[in-house]
Amino acid sequence: MKNIFRKTKFLALLLAFCLVTPAFAYTTGSINYREVMMNYSKAKAAQSEIEDRANELQRFLLDKEKDFKKIESPIQKKTFEEQTAKAFAQKQDAYQKFKLKKEKEIDDAIVAAIKTVAIENKVDSVVDARVMFFGAVDLTDKVIKKLNTGN
């Protein structure tokens, strides 16, 4: 009788453990960050703005090179070089700040979307798809949709 009671108690404990185990399940999600960047409309627009600013720097240098060729005096050339170098450094600094600001805005938006999608899908952690080949829930399309629709 004691033996049957122990077996029943053990089976009840085992059954209870099996029912509770799913509550402790840990879900990992993955996203393809490159795909998110390529399909996020604001990221494309920001990249275009960054490229436009970089092209402006190139045009500035080309224009200054043309102006430099017109100068005949060595003293004027030296002064022109110094002024141009100073102006270019300021423009380059402004470009770098602009680029970093835009990249941070895009990255912050992507991270916020990832967090929201992870919570909505009951995913505990999210990794880049390049880190995990299988065994993770792919959230890439949901993150892209969240970013582009703003929902």
Side-chain angles (χ1 to χ4, degrees):
M1 185 73 167
K2 276 185 172 181
N3 200 15
I4 292 176
F5 182 69
R6 283 186 185 157
K7 286 181 182 178
T8 307
K9 196 174 181 181
F10 175 73
L11 287 174
L13 182 63
L14 183 63
L15 181 62
F17 179 73
C18 289
L19 291 174
V20 173
T21 301
F24 297 115
Y26 189 82
T27 307
T28 301
S30 69
I31 62 147
N32 184 326
Y33 195 84
R34 281 188 224 152
E35 188 175 332
V36 170
M37 288 293 288
M38 290 187 324
N39 293 295
Y40 179 28
S41 57
K42 287 185 181 178
K44 289 181 196 177
Q47 186 60 38
S48 179
E49 287 180 64
I50 290 168
E51 287 173 9
D52 288 346
R53 294 274 179 110
N55 290 335
E56 284 177 28
L57 281 175
Q58 290 294 325
R59 281 191 300 273
F60 173 80
L61 288 176
L62 290 173
D63 291 343
K64 291 300 179 179
E65 184 178 341
K66 288 177 188 175
D67 294 342
F68 181 77
K69 288 179 181 178
K70 295 176 186 175
I71 301 171
E72 294 180 18
S73 166
I75 294 172
Q76 287 177 332
K77 282 187 175 189
K78 181 160 178 67
T79 304
F80 183 83
E81 283 177 338
E82 290 170 357
Q83 290 171 345
T84 301
K86 186 181 261 186
F88 182 73
Q90 290 172 342
K91 288 181 177 291
Q92 195 171 29
D93 185 49
Y95 165 76
Q96 287 298 327
K97 287 178 182 175
F98 175 79
K99 183 180 176 192
L100 289 173
K101 179 182 172 232
K102 284 294 184 182
E103 288 172 347
K104 182 172 178 6
E105 287 174 6
I106 296 303
D107 192 54
D108 289 349
I110 291 172
V111 169
I114 292 169
K115 287 179 182 178
T116 302
V117 168
I119 290 168
E120 290 171 353
N121 290 274
K122 296 176 177 62
V123 172
D124 300 301
S125 63
V126 179
V127 297
D128 192 302
R130 293 175 289 176
V131 176
M132 185 172 274
F133 295 110
F134 61 89
V137 177
D138 186 9
L139 302 173
T140 304
D141 292 335
K142 292 176 182 177
V143 170
I144 293 169
K145 183 178 178 185
K146 172 76 68 187
L147 288 164
N148 288 328
T149 61
N151 293 333

